[in-house]
Amino acid sequence: MELDQAPAGQADDACAGPGTDPGRPVLSLDGLAEAERRRALVAETARFTAAFTRWTEARKCGGLSYTRLQLLQALHCGGPAIMRDLGEQLGVSPRNMTAMVDALEDAELVVRRAHPTDRRATLVELSPAGARQAEDALGPRLDAIAELFEGFSAADQQAFATALHRLGVAMRTRQETG
């Protein structure tokens, strides 16, 4: 990736609060030991994740937060699903998943129904209004978020996609191995 370099020692800022200050120099890993580089990358990832989450949540689409829109998208693309599975897919705790489904149910965008074979499970599915909302909102919302990548070259976009894929594989591998 074509990145500007910050002065050495930037990684010592691992305890800095989350945020994305445009005046803050790009993290430099030069001269750091392997363990320090990894910790610096964890801190930088945490700052980015917090800032990205705040940024996407601040952009309401038809009154829907990004997370709720993701839920509509999951149901739109995958069909009815068990709440536990949806929570795992979206990275949402059971408590928050219940609150999200409650809110979307109150807005008449989803409905709950009993699972046909598992009495303990509840299926969530889109209502007709939820399907319309998903179709109307998903494209424009995702396009607005995708504008973040306008200033990235094709090579930078590919490097970013590759890095995210490798991080996902590393997380799954470590999760599976305990």
Side-chain angles (χ1 to χ4, degrees):
M1 232 187 231
E2 300 168 14
L3 298 174
D4 298 324
Q5 295 299 308
Q10 181 69 34
D12 295 334
D13 192 20
C15 296
T20 53
D21 175 5
R24 188 171 159 265
V26 174
L27 174 67
S28 174
L29 303 174
D30 293 341
L32 296 177
E34 176 69 17
E36 291 173 317
R37 284 197 312 269
R38 287 189 223 158
R39 289 187 75 161
L41 288 170
V42 169
E44 192 71 8
T45 302
R47 279 191 286 275
F48 169 79
T49 301
F52 183 74
T53 300
R54 282 192 310 275
W55 186 84
T56 57
E57 289 297 327
R59 279 140 189 82
K60 301 284 186 206
C61 185
L64 292 174
S65 69
Y66 180 68
T67 307
R68 289 182 182 170
L69 195 58
Q70 281 183 301
L71 175 56
L72 291 182
Q73 179 184 19
L75 294 170
H76 181 69
C77 296
I82 298 170
M83 285 180 49
R84 178 188 65 246
D85 294 343
L86 288 167
E88 287 174 8
Q89 179 182 344
L90 300 175
V92 176
S93 70
R95 177 184 294 200
N96 287 338
M97 190 71 220
T98 299
M100 283 174 51
V101 171
D102 287 348
L104 291 175
E105 192 173 38
D106 289 347
E108 299 181 352
L109 298 176
V110 300
V111 293
R112 286 182 172 111
R113 62 181 172 87
H115 192 282
T117 59
D118 184 350
R119 292 185 349 200
R120 298 169 297 159
T122 301
L123 284 176
V124 179
E125 65 182 298
L126 288 176
S127 68
R132 280 192 305 279
Q133 179 85 14
E135 290 171 11
D136 293 345
L138 286 173
R141 178 70 186 267
L142 294 174
D143 289 343
I145 293 170
E147 289 176 5
L148 284 173
F149 296 101
E150 283 179 346
F152 286 61
S153 69
D156 284 347
Q157 291 173 2
Q158 184 60 60
F160 184 68
T162 300
L164 288 177
H165 175 78
R166 289 179 64 194
L167 283 169
V169 168
M171 286 187 299
R172 281 188 299 280
T173 300
R174 280 160 183 78
Q175 186 176 18
E176 291 168 3
T177 59

